[in-house]
Amino acid sequence: MNRRKCWICKVCRDGSERPPSNLTVEEVLQWAQSFEKLMATKSLSQHSYGPAVYAAYLKMEHSDENMKFWMACETYKKIASRRSRVSRAKKLYEIYIQPESPREINIDSSTREAIIRNIQEPTQSCFEEAQKVVYMHMERDSYPRFLKSEMYQKLLKTIQSNNNS
């Protein structure tokens, strides 16, 4: 994601770099159709540019902890080893769930308490409710602002002008 974020910032800041050639106007326009399409991890070009661009936007908005948590949960769900899952669950708790943690996410107390109970014997779904809450926050709060943002509009115009030249 760092490499992608780099081109995102350069395109949106000063237009000094072109977007990847396999990022299409159609794909960028699809992001505006629904939050689900923006967050799809597989796109037409087989890259996940939508989540990368949205993550860069959230970082500019100082709310990237939501995206980082959501992505960390996606990775966490794939952990097969119980030992690794226990270790990673504790890390996720310390970073995102614990009150006053470095990247504390905005969840209600009952969800937080359920996680505290669940991480004693963590399953692949022990962060699922918090992940849903964070997804909803992003979809209802940040996503509409993203679509109106200079960042998204500039990226769309750049890709459209690249296709026309």
PDB file of all heavy atoms in Angstrom, residues 4-22:
ATOM      1  N   ARG A   4       1.481   2.470  -3.535  1.00  0.00           N
ATOM      2  CA  ARG A   4       0.262   3.021  -4.129  1.00  0.00           C
ATOM      3  C   ARG A   4      -0.075   4.364  -3.506  1.00  0.00           C
ATOM      4  O   ARG A   4      -0.475   5.280  -4.180  1.00  0.00           O
ATOM      5  CB  ARG A   4      -0.907   2.060  -3.948  1.00  0.00           C
ATOM      6  CG  ARG A   4      -0.777   0.848  -4.822  1.00  0.00           C
ATOM      7  CD  ARG A   4      -2.048   0.044  -4.769  1.00  0.00           C
ATOM      8  NE  ARG A   4      -1.815  -1.197  -5.462  1.00  0.00           N
ATOM      9  CZ  ARG A   4      -2.190  -2.371  -5.016  1.00  0.00           C
ATOM     10  NH1 ARG A   4      -2.811  -2.480  -3.874  1.00  0.00           N
ATOM     11  NH2 ARG A   4      -1.942  -3.451  -5.710  1.00  0.00           N
ATOM     12  N   LYS A   5       0.055   4.465  -2.199  1.00  0.00           N
ATOM     13  CA  LYS A   5      -0.276   5.701  -1.518  1.00  0.00           C
ATOM     14  C   LYS A   5       0.619   6.820  -2.038  1.00  0.00           C
ATOM     15  O   LYS A   5       0.170   7.948  -2.199  1.00  0.00           O
ATOM     16  CB  LYS A   5      -0.115   5.533  -0.011  1.00  0.00           C
ATOM     17  CG  LYS A   5      -0.650   6.705   0.771  1.00  0.00           C
ATOM     18  CD  LYS A   5      -0.696   6.400   2.220  1.00  0.00           C
ATOM     19  CE  LYS A   5       0.652   6.680   2.822  1.00  0.00           C
ATOM     20  NZ  LYS A   5       0.717   6.488   4.248  1.00  0.00           N
ATOM     21  N   CYS A   6       1.847   6.499  -2.332  1.00  0.00           N
ATOM     22  CA  CYS A   6       2.788   7.485  -2.837  1.00  0.00           C
ATOM     23  C   CYS A   6       2.269   8.094  -4.137  1.00  0.00           C
ATOM     24  O   CYS A   6       2.228   9.312  -4.282  1.00  0.00           O
ATOM     25  CB  CYS A   6       4.147   6.833  -3.037  1.00  0.00           C
ATOM     26  SG  CYS A   6       5.429   7.978  -3.555  1.00  0.00           S
ATOM     27  N   TRP A   7       1.845   7.285  -5.084  1.00  0.00           N
ATOM     28  CA  TRP A   7       1.331   7.843  -6.339  1.00  0.00           C
ATOM     29  C   TRP A   7       0.026   8.580  -6.111  1.00  0.00           C
ATOM     30  O   TRP A   7      -0.242   9.576  -6.752  1.00  0.00           O
ATOM     31  CB  TRP A   7       1.189   6.795  -7.444  1.00  0.00           C
ATOM     32  CG  TRP A   7       0.134   5.737  -7.262  1.00  0.00           C
ATOM     33  CD1 TRP A   7       0.327   4.458  -6.853  1.00  0.00           C
ATOM     34  CD2 TRP A   7      -1.283   5.871  -7.485  1.00  0.00           C
ATOM     35  NE1 TRP A   7      -0.878   3.795  -6.791  1.00  0.00           N
ATOM     36  CE2 TRP A   7      -1.878   4.631  -7.184  1.00  0.00           C
ATOM     37  CE3 TRP A   7      -2.096   6.911  -7.912  1.00  0.00           C
ATOM     38  CZ2 TRP A   7      -3.236   4.391  -7.284  1.00  0.00           C
ATOM     39  CZ3 TRP A   7      -3.468   6.679  -8.015  1.00  0.00           C
ATOM     40  CH2 TRP A   7      -4.017   5.433  -7.705  1.00  0.00           C
ATOM     41  N   ILE A   8      -0.767   8.122  -5.172  1.00  0.00           N
ATOM     42  CA  ILE A   8      -2.032   8.790  -4.869  1.00  0.00           C
ATOM     43  C   ILE A   8      -1.753  10.217  -4.405  1.00  0.00           C
ATOM     44  O   ILE A   8      -2.353  11.168  -4.905  1.00  0.00           O
ATOM     45  CB  ILE A   8      -2.821   8.023  -3.780  1.00  0.00           C
ATOM     46  CG1 ILE A   8      -3.220   6.638  -4.280  1.00  0.00           C
ATOM     47  CG2 ILE A   8      -4.048   8.813  -3.345  1.00  0.00           C
ATOM     48  CD1 ILE A   8      -3.651   5.687  -3.181  1.00  0.00           C
ATOM     49  N   CYS A   9      -0.830  10.344  -3.473  1.00  0.00           N
ATOM     50  CA  CYS A   9      -0.501  11.673  -2.951  1.00  0.00           C
ATOM     51  C   CYS A   9       0.064  12.574  -4.038  1.00  0.00           C
ATOM     52  O   CYS A   9      -0.291  13.744  -4.121  1.00  0.00           O
ATOM     53  CB  CYS A   9       0.495  11.558  -1.800  1.00  0.00           C
ATOM     54  SG  CYS A   9      -0.202  10.714  -0.365  1.00  0.00           S
ATOM     55  N   LYS A  10       0.930  12.031  -4.875  1.00  0.00           N
ATOM     56  CA  LYS A  10       1.543  12.844  -5.929  1.00  0.00           C
ATOM     57  C   LYS A  10       0.519  13.273  -6.973  1.00  0.00           C
ATOM     58  O   LYS A  10       0.548  14.404  -7.441  1.00  0.00           O
ATOM     59  CB  LYS A  10       2.691  12.087  -6.584  1.00  0.00           C
ATOM     60  CG  LYS A  10       3.905  11.981  -5.682  1.00  0.00           C
ATOM     61  CD  LYS A  10       5.019  11.198  -6.339  1.00  0.00           C
ATOM     62  CE  LYS A  10       6.204  11.074  -5.406  1.00  0.00           C
ATOM     63  NZ  LYS A  10       7.264  10.264  -5.988  1.00  0.00           N
ATOM     64  N   VAL A  11      -0.389  12.378  -7.331  1.00  0.00           N
ATOM     65  CA  VAL A  11      -1.430  12.731  -8.302  1.00  0.00           C
ATOM     66  C   VAL A  11      -2.333  13.814  -7.716  1.00  0.00           C
ATOM     67  O   VAL A  11      -2.643  14.806  -8.377  1.00  0.00           O
ATOM     68  CB  VAL A  11      -2.282  11.493  -8.704  1.00  0.00           C
ATOM     69  CG1 VAL A  11      -3.548  11.900  -9.438  1.00  0.00           C
ATOM     70  CG2 VAL A  11      -1.462  10.547  -9.558  1.00  0.00           C
ATOM     71  N   CYS A  12      -2.728  13.630  -6.470  1.00  0.00           N
ATOM     72  CA  CYS A  12      -3.699  14.533  -5.864  1.00  0.00           C
ATOM     73  C   CYS A  12      -3.086  15.848  -5.396  1.00  0.00           C
ATOM     74  O   CYS A  12      -3.742  16.869  -5.378  1.00  0.00           O
ATOM     75  CB  CYS A  12      -4.398  13.840  -4.707  1.00  0.00           C
ATOM     76  SG  CYS A  12      -5.355  12.427  -5.279  1.00  0.00           S
ATOM     77  N   ARG A  13      -1.822  15.816  -5.029  1.00  0.00           N
ATOM     78  CA  ARG A  13      -1.186  17.029  -4.524  1.00  0.00           C
ATOM     79  C   ARG A  13      -0.800  17.962  -5.654  1.00  0.00           C
ATOM     80  O   ARG A  13      -1.177  19.115  -5.682  1.00  0.00           O
ATOM     81  CB  ARG A  13       0.035  16.672  -3.673  1.00  0.00           C
ATOM     82  CG  ARG A  13       0.696  17.874  -3.026  1.00  0.00           C
ATOM     83  CD  ARG A  13       1.869  17.518  -2.124  1.00  0.00           C
ATOM     84  NE  ARG A  13       2.754  16.543  -2.719  1.00  0.00           N
ATOM     85  CZ  ARG A  13       2.996  15.337  -2.199  1.00  0.00           C
ATOM     86  NH1 ARG A  13       2.437  14.970  -1.084  1.00  0.00           N
ATOM     87  NH2 ARG A  13       3.812  14.499  -2.805  1.00  0.00           N
ATOM     88  N   ASP A  14      -0.041  17.451  -6.599  1.00  0.00           N
ATOM     89  CA  ASP A  14       0.485  18.365  -7.614  1.00  0.00           C
ATOM     90  C   ASP A  14       0.423  17.824  -9.039  1.00  0.00           C
ATOM     91  O   ASP A  14       0.912  18.458  -9.958  1.00  0.00           O
ATOM     92  CB  ASP A  14       1.925  18.745  -7.268  1.00  0.00           C
ATOM     93  CG  ASP A  14       2.845  17.541  -7.115  1.00  0.00           C
ATOM     94  OD1 ASP A  14       2.493  16.447  -7.601  1.00  0.00           O
ATOM     95  OD2 ASP A  14       3.914  17.691  -6.506  1.00  0.00           O
ATOM     96  N   GLY A  15      -0.182  16.673  -9.207  1.00  0.00           N
ATOM     97  CA  GLY A  15      -0.311  16.111 -10.552  1.00  0.00           C
ATOM     98  C   GLY A  15       1.012  15.692 -11.164  1.00  0.00           C
ATOM     99  O   GLY A  15       1.101  15.495 -12.371  1.00  0.00           O
ATOM    100  N   SER A  16       2.036  15.503 -10.316  1.00  0.00           N
ATOM    101  CA  SER A  16       3.364  15.185 -10.836  1.00  0.00           C
ATOM    102  C   SER A  16       3.512  13.723 -11.243  1.00  0.00           C
ATOM    103  O   SER A  16       4.517  13.359 -11.832  1.00  0.00           O
ATOM    104  CB  SER A  16       4.435  15.528  -9.801  1.00  0.00           C
ATOM    105  OG  SER A  16       4.300  14.694  -8.664  1.00  0.00           O
ATOM    106  N   GLU A  17       2.555  12.917 -10.932  1.00  0.00           N
ATOM    107  CA  GLU A  17       2.649  11.506 -11.297  1.00  0.00           C
ATOM    108  C   GLU A  17       1.324  11.058 -11.892  1.00  0.00           C
ATOM    109  O   GLU A  17       0.266  11.549 -11.537  1.00  0.00           O
ATOM    110  CB  GLU A  17       2.981  10.664 -10.063  1.00  0.00           C
ATOM    111  CG  GLU A  17       3.359   9.242 -10.426  1.00  0.00           C
ATOM    112  CD  GLU A  17       4.057   8.529  -9.281  1.00  0.00           C
ATOM    113  OE1 GLU A  17       4.972   9.102  -8.690  1.00  0.00           O
ATOM    114  OE2 GLU A  17       3.664   7.404  -9.011  1.00  0.00           O
ATOM    115  N   ARG A  18       1.412  10.103 -12.792  1.00  0.00           N
ATOM    116  CA  ARG A  18       0.210   9.546 -13.415  1.00  0.00           C
ATOM    117  C   ARG A  18      -0.256   8.347 -12.607  1.00  0.00           C
ATOM    118  O   ARG A  18       0.544   7.614 -12.060  1.00  0.00           O
ATOM    119  CB  ARG A  18       0.532   9.101 -14.838  1.00  0.00           C
ATOM    120  CG  ARG A  18       0.913  10.252 -15.756  1.00  0.00           C
ATOM    121  CD  ARG A  18       1.260   9.693 -17.109  1.00  0.00           C
ATOM    122  NE  ARG A  18       0.044   9.563 -17.885  1.00  0.00           N
ATOM    123  CZ  ARG A  18      -0.175  10.234 -19.003  1.00  0.00           C
ATOM    124  NH1 ARG A  18       0.730  11.045 -19.476  1.00  0.00           N
ATOM    125  NH2 ARG A  18      -1.296  10.077 -19.668  1.00  0.00           N
ATOM    126  N   PRO A  19      -1.559   8.138 -12.571  1.00  0.00           N
ATOM    127  CA  PRO A  19      -2.085   6.940 -11.911  1.00  0.00           C
ATOM    128  C   PRO A  19      -1.648   5.684 -12.672  1.00  0.00           C
ATOM    129  O   PRO A  19      -1.260   5.773 -13.842  1.00  0.00           O
ATOM    130  CB  PRO A  19      -3.604   7.114 -12.007  1.00  0.00           C
ATOM    131  CG  PRO A  19      -3.833   8.516 -12.413  1.00  0.00           C
ATOM    132  CD  PRO A  19      -2.597   8.997 -13.087  1.00  0.00           C
ATOM    133  N   PRO A  20      -1.710   4.530 -12.052  1.00  0.00           N
ATOM    134  CA  PRO A  20      -1.358   3.293 -12.742  1.00  0.00           C
ATOM    135  C   PRO A  20      -2.196   3.125 -14.014  1.00  0.00           C
ATOM    136  O   PRO A  20      -3.381   3.459 -14.019  1.00  0.00           O
ATOM    137  CB  PRO A  20      -1.691   2.194 -11.733  1.00  0.00           C
ATOM    138  CG  PRO A  20      -1.745   2.872 -10.420  1.00  0.00           C
ATOM    139  CD  PRO A  20      -2.140   4.289 -10.682  1.00  0.00           C
ATOM    140  N   SER A  21      -1.575   2.605 -15.035  1.00  0.00           N
ATOM    141  CA  SER A  21      -2.272   2.482 -16.324  1.00  0.00           C
ATOM    142  C   SER A  21      -3.450   1.510 -16.258  1.00  0.00           C
ATOM    143  O   SER A  21      -4.369   1.602 -17.064  1.00  0.00           O
ATOM    144  CB  SER A  21      -1.295   2.052 -17.416  1.00  0.00           C
ATOM    145  OG  SER A  21      -0.721   0.800 -17.075  1.00  0.00           O
ATOM    146  N   ASN A  22      -3.431   0.586 -15.307  1.00  0.00           N
ATOM    147  CA  ASN A  22      -4.540  -0.363 -15.217  1.00  0.00           C
ATOM    148  C   ASN A  22      -5.670   0.132 -14.304  1.00  0.00           C
ATOM    149  O   ASN A  22      -6.632  -0.577 -14.081  1.00  0.00           O
ATOM    150  CB  ASN A  22      -4.056  -1.747 -14.789  1.00  0.00           C
ATOM    151  CG  ASN A  22      -3.329  -1.739 -13.472  1.00  0.00           C
ATOM    152  OD1 ASN A  22      -3.016  -0.687 -12.915  1.00  0.00           O
ATOM    153  ND2 ASN A  22      -3.028  -2.912 -12.963  1.00  0.00           N
TER     154      ASN A  22
END
